[in-house]
Amino acid sequence: MDYFVIGNFIAAERKKRQLTQQQLADRLNVSNKTVSKWECGRGLPDISVIQPLCKELELDVSELLAGKRLDSVAIKKQAE
């Protein structure tokens, strides 16, 4: 897992939705510094935040951990 790749992906998906780091942080009940840490590749979201983060960014957990959009076939294979 490449923290930097995942962080860039989180930032890109957040920006696609026209959310600030603060707005995303508020929706997830974390600090904006926490979101910044993820996006800079200095850490990953806590397990308790992964599902809510994926919901906000309209991602599958597999996509979040891959740091990129996956097609539905790839997601299904990773789930098996």
Side-chain angles (χ1 to χ4, degrees):
M1 249 185 287
D2 187 327
Y3 289 17
F4 186 72
V5 170
I6 294 169
N8 282 332
F9 183 55
I10 292 171
E13 293 298 316
R14 173 183 58 78
K15 290 173 186 175
K16 279 184 193 175
R17 285 153 187 79
Q18 299 180 334
L19 294 171
T20 64
Q21 288 181 341
Q22 185 64 58
Q23 289 169 325
L24 181 60
D26 290 344
R27 291 179 182 194
L28 299 173
N29 296 315
V30 298
S31 72
N32 63 330
K33 290 180 181 183
T34 298
V35 174
S36 176
K37 181 177 78 170
W38 302 335
E39 292 184 0
C40 291
R42 294 191 319 266
L44 293 175
D46 185 74
I47 190 75
S48 65
V49 181
I50 288 179
Q51 284 289 352
L53 175 61
C54 288
K55 183 178 177 184
E56 288 297 328
L57 299 180
E58 299 175 24
L59 302 172
D60 186 88
V61 173
S62 299
E63 292 175 314
L64 177 67
L65 298 178
K68 63 182 180 180
R69 288 284 180 177
L70 303 172
D71 64 31
S72 59
V73 174
I75 292 171
K76 195 177 282 188
K77 284 183 181 179
Q78 286 186 349
E80 293 175 348

